DNA sequence: CAAACCTTACCACAACTGTGTCAAGGTTCC
DNA sequence: GGAACCTTGACACAGTTGTGGTAAGGTTTG
């Protein structure tokens, strides 16, 4: 039995029928339709529904996030714009006035010590 | 004058001071701090603030979307997980029973025609 | 030291998200 | 033709997001 109706699909995947429609409206999973317009979930959709659930739970993200990720890879200009902005990395304080700069340098050590307790050691670059 | 306080930065970038703090809390733009803890916006931050505004407006996305994009490129396992899911593209109905398949093929033309008239009808909610 | 800044931490509030339920109507199938 | 499905659309409601305030308290500087 591969072709399931929405309620059957809901039952076997742990989603609700309501959410299946919602997931579809977000453009994440769009099942085939029968001649009468009934949604028909095949094995592929069922698999994607289950892995989608895992994806959300394991990384603490939302449906909207996945939808946005899809937009990112479908809309090229959007992707380049977003990536371009992100890559315009925050500069060192090369732009501030000299006296302030001194203060910053002085406090930098204190700041670094404080920051050492905070989790942000990811300095990887894919450039 | 490159080192601006939060209100000055707000004024020159069009954001509100409130939103500058919000943008910072989202991890998007984290200005340096003076010895006393005052936020100090340099030319780099100002530029990023302005381009951020454009980015949001031009593509109709939200701050959370940009923050998520940043997460995507910082957290490698998240990125691979999301991309993996997205690339598990929805299959053709190879998984459904044969008779249903026939119906689908038959109605596909009608469906395509119908879809052609409704490009992306965003259902209006009753205001 | 007082004015005019800044800070964090709350209260507030509209809009959107995620989710349920219900209604009115079409489809399937016995 | 009626039970048991499905469809879209709407009302509802808690939680989050985006945004504004305000309060209590440090900082800077005339």
């Amino acid at each position: 039995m591969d072709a399931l109706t929405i309620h059957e699909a809901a039952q076997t995947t742990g989603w609700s029928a309501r959410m299946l429609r919602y997931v579809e409206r977000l453009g994440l999973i769009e099942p085939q339709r029968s001649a009468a317009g009934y949604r028909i979930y095949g094995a592929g959709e069922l698999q994607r529904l289950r892995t989608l659930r895992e994806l959300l739970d394991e990384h603490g993200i939302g449906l909207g996030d996945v939808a946005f990720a899809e937009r990112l890879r479908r809309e090229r200009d959007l992707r380049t714009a977003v990536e371009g902005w992100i890559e315009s990395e925050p500069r060192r304080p090369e732009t501030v006035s000299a006296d302030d700069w001194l203060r910053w340098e002085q406090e930098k050590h204190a700041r670094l010590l404080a920051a050492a307790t905070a989790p942000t050691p990811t300095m990887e670059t894919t450039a």
Side-chain angles (χ1 to χ4, degrees), chain A:
Chain A
M1 266 314 195
D2 276 317
L4 302 189
T5 69
I6 190 171
H7 279 101
E8 294 166 330
Q11 195 136 6
T12 57
T13 59
W15 294 90
S16 67
R18 179 67 161 84
M19 286 310 293
L20 258 42
R21 296 201 187 92
Y22 187 56
V23 166
E24 179 180 18
R25 206 162 59 89
L26 293 183
L28 295 182
I29 294 180
E30 307 181 346
Q32 306 289 325
R33 296 296 189 110
S34 78
Y38 287 19
R39 290 172 182 80
I40 297 181
Y41 291 83
E45 281 78 29
L46 298 179
Q47 188 57 27
R48 274 168 68 77
L49 281 171
R50 295 201 193 88
T51 54
L52 177 59
R53 162 62 58 86
E54 284 176 41
L55 182 65
L56 301 186
D57 289 351
E58 284 178 20
H59 294 87
I61 66 181
L63 292 169
D65 292 324
V66 183
F68 181 66
E70 271 201 350
R71 264 193 83 184
L72 275 183
R73 66 172 20 225
R74 235 185 289 107
E75 301 172 32
R76 168 154 317 190
D77 54 337
L78 173 60
R79 180 174 64 246
T80 54
V82 171
E83 288 190 354
W85 186 87
I86 290 178
E87 276 161 21
S88 72
E89 36 186 323
R91 284 136 175 61
R92 304 270 133 225
E94 23 82 351
T95 55
V96 283
S97 63
D99 21 1
D100 280 335
W101 163 261
L102 280 179
R103 258 192 294 231
W104 284 333
E105 283 298 40
Q106 289 205 330
E107 73 146 344
K108 186 182 287 185
H109 304 106
R111 215 144 255 305
L112 284 177
L113 286 178
T117 69
T120 314
T122 38
M123 284 292 287
E124 50 134 36
T125 357
T126 45

